[in-house]
């Protein structure tokens, strides 16, 4: 394993700033997918069964206000994404799959992405991701799977996709999606596919021999680094590290994770050189998150996570994570309020 420095730098923390209301009383899948945009206004989108909960947070100690947007059809999972101005959600398994966007405000009105529509077999929006200028969505169904992309200008979002990237067919293609710079990373069952957005070529990405079918359950690319999660390796789980040098991606090895983690790599996120690894464990585990910063060619530094209240036993904290700039969201799969178990999303500021 690659050595991981676990002593945090002085003054380096992710601090829980605020406890949002438990919108999970609406649905038992609240927080199954979460997104945040860490600009001046901390925009957040929460996805769950049958609806999307959009919350706008601003300031150092944000005032939390939520707006609920009913999704058009019942969905087990609602993939979501967020930018400074727009929120997104998709309905990949609906009879008429769709991706929708909305502007933040008291009465957001969802609008469809793409003018021509999509067939049910395409499963468009199985996963979605945004950069500052573009929206990306996987469409792994049908004879030929694709990633579609749109410019974020509303007039162009309403048009057919301006970019399409053919993918290699594979089981569970699109279960994770990450985009940074010229690189697009798509997770599938026991496989991760890396592409150049410019050339549309698939790039070699070595796959370790001791992986499980949960390899690439989560995967992130940020700068010159890729992390791929495999929570099925042993009790701890595993996170595989790749780095970009001399024009190729090289496999560095598995991160040396603390042995207190359980099912590490279930969820991951990255932004501006900061990486978050969710380790929710199994039923009965409190769960943890590990926040890392690269400090050298093969050295990482752990960033301490401070809670207002520690996750309860059985909470499965780290079930989902989202990160943008300094804004971090973490879902606990189950936390108790008034004697009833609900999922919960916590909000942190990292420095």
């Amino acid at each position: 394993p690659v050595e991981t420095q676990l002593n945090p730098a002085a003054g380096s923390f992710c601090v829980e700033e605020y406890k949002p209301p438990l919108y999970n009383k609406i649905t038992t899948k609240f927080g199954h997918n979460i997104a945040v945009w860490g600009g001046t206004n901390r925009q957040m989108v929460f996805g769950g069964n049958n609806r999307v909960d959009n919350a706008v947070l601003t300031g150092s100690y944000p005032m939390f206000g939520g707006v609920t947007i009913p999704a058009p059809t019942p969905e087990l999972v609602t993939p979501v994404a967020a930018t400074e101005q727009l929120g997104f959600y998709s309905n990949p398994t609906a009879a008429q799959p769709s991706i929708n966007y909305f502007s933040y405000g008291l009465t957001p009105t969802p609008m469809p992405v793409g003018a021509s529509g999509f067939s049910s077999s395409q499963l468009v929006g199985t996963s979605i991701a945004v950069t500052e200028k573009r929206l990306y969505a996987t469409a792994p169904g049908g004879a030929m799977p694709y990633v579609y992309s749109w410019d974020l200008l509303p007039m162009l979002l309403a048009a057919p996709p301006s970019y399409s990237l053919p993918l290699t067919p594979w089981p569970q293609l699109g279960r994770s999606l990450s985009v940074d710079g010229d690189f697009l990373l798509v997770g599938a069952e026991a496989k991760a596919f890396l592409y150049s957005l410019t050339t549309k070529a698939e790039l070699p990405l070595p796959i370790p021999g001791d992986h499980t079918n949960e390899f690439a359950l989560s995967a992130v690319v940020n700068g010159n680094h890729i992390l791929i999660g495999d929570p099925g390796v042993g009790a701890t789980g595993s996170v595989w590290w790749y780095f970009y040098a001399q024009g190729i991606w090289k496999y560095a090895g598995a991160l040396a994770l603390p042995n207190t983690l359980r099912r590490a790599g279930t969820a991951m996120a990255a932004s501006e050189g900061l990486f978050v690894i969710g380790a929710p464990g199994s039923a009965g585990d409190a769960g943890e998150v590990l926040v890392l910063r690269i400090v050298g060619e093969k050295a990482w530094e752990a960033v301490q996570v401070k809670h207002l209240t520690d996750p309860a036993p059985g909470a499965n904290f780290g079930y989902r994570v989202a990160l943008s700039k300094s804004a971090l969201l973490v879902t606990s799969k189950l936390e108790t309020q008034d004697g009833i178990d609900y999922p919960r999303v916590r909000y942190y500021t990292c420095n």
Side-chain angles (χ1 to χ4, degrees):
V2 179
E3 284 301 318
T4 308
Q5 297 179 6
L6 297 181
N7 294 324
S12 186
F13 302 103
C14 292
V15 180
E16 187 177 1
E17 297 283 7
Y18 189 76
K19 292 182 180 179
L22 289 178
Y23 278 89
N24 37 69
K25 291 182 179 179
I26 299 170
T27 165
T28 58
K29 286 292 185 182
F30 167 79
H32 187 95
N33 280 314
I34 52 180
V36 60
W37 187 265
T40 303
N41 299 318
R42 303 295 175 86
Q43 313 291 11
M44 302 188 183
V45 184
F46 305 133
N49 267 1
N50 304 323
R51 65 184 63 227
V52 172
D53 293 326
N54 163 37
V56 181
L57 289 86
T58 59
S60 298
Y61 293 92
M63 297 295 293
F64 184 92
V67 178
T68 299
I69 303 174
T73 55
E75 292 299 321
L76 179 63
V77 178
T78 303
V80 294
T83 70
E84 188 75 28
Q85 303 295 331
L86 299 173
F88 298 86
Y89 66 95
S90 62
N91 294 275
T93 59
Q96 182 61 56
S98 65
I99 306 170
N100 301 275
Y101 71 96
F102 56 90
S103 298
Y104 303 112
L106 294 178
T107 56
T109 302
M111 299 291 291
V113 172
S116 58
F118 303 96
S119 69
S120 59
S121 64
Q122 287 181 283
L123 301 175
V124 66
T126 293
S127 49
I128 57 178
V130 291
T131 64
E132 290 192 0
K133 295 183 178 180
R134 299 195 66 86
L135 165 71
Y136 296 86
T138 56
M144 177 58 72
Y146 281 93
V147 165
Y148 294 117
S149 180
W150 291 261
D151 189 286
L152 287 183
L153 292 175
M155 67 179 64
L156 297 178
L157 280 171
S162 58
Y163 177 92
S164 61
L165 171 67
L167 303 178
T168 301
W170 202 268
Q172 296 187 30
L173 186 65
R175 67 181 183 183
S176 60
L177 175 65
S178 181
V179 184
D180 192 53
D182 186 47
F183 300 110
L184 182 142
L185 182 64
V186 183
E189 182 181 305
K191 180 76 172 176
F193 296 93
L194 181 66
Y195 297 89
S196 164
L197 291 171
T198 302
T199 66
K200 297 188 178 181
E202 183 181 343
L203 305 176
L205 197 65
I207 305 298
D210 51 348
H211 68 286
T212 74
N213 282 346
E214 291 189 280
F215 179 82
L217 185 64
S218 63
V220 291
V221 55
N222 187 255
N224 293 333
H225 301 272
I226 285 174
L227 294 185
I228 299 179
D230 188 347
V233 176
T236 301
S238 188
V239 174
W240 312 96
W241 175 27
Y242 301 79
F243 66 92
Y244 188 67
Q246 299 175 333
I248 60 173
W249 284 94
K250 300 180 179 181
Y251 175 52
L255 295 181
L257 301 174
N259 58 16
T260 58
L261 300 184
R262 293 292 180 266
R263 289 190 55 78
T266 296
M268 292 195 297
S271 179
E272 299 182 348
L274 204 64
F275 293 78
V276 181
I277 299 169
S282 302
D285 292 326
E288 298 181 59
V289 294
L290 183 63
V291 181
L292 297 176
R293 182 179 285 114
I294 302 171
V295 294
E297 183 180 350
K298 290 189 176 181
W300 295 69
E301 204 165 57
V303 177
Q304 186 176 349
V305 179
K306 292 187 173 182
H307 310 295
L308 291 177
T309 56
D310 289 332
N316 297 137
F317 178 74
Y319 172 65
R320 292 290 184 268
V321 296
L323 179 69
S324 175
K325 304 181 189 297
S326 63
L328 169 64
L329 297 181
V330 182
T331 295
S332 292
K333 197 172 183 181
L334 291 175
E335 291 206 30
T336 301
Q337 183 184 31
D338 301 327
I340 302 175
D341 289 334
Y342 298 108
R344 172 178 170 184
V345 179
R346 296 170 182 249
Y347 164 61
Y348 300 80
T349 296
C350 301
N351 59 21

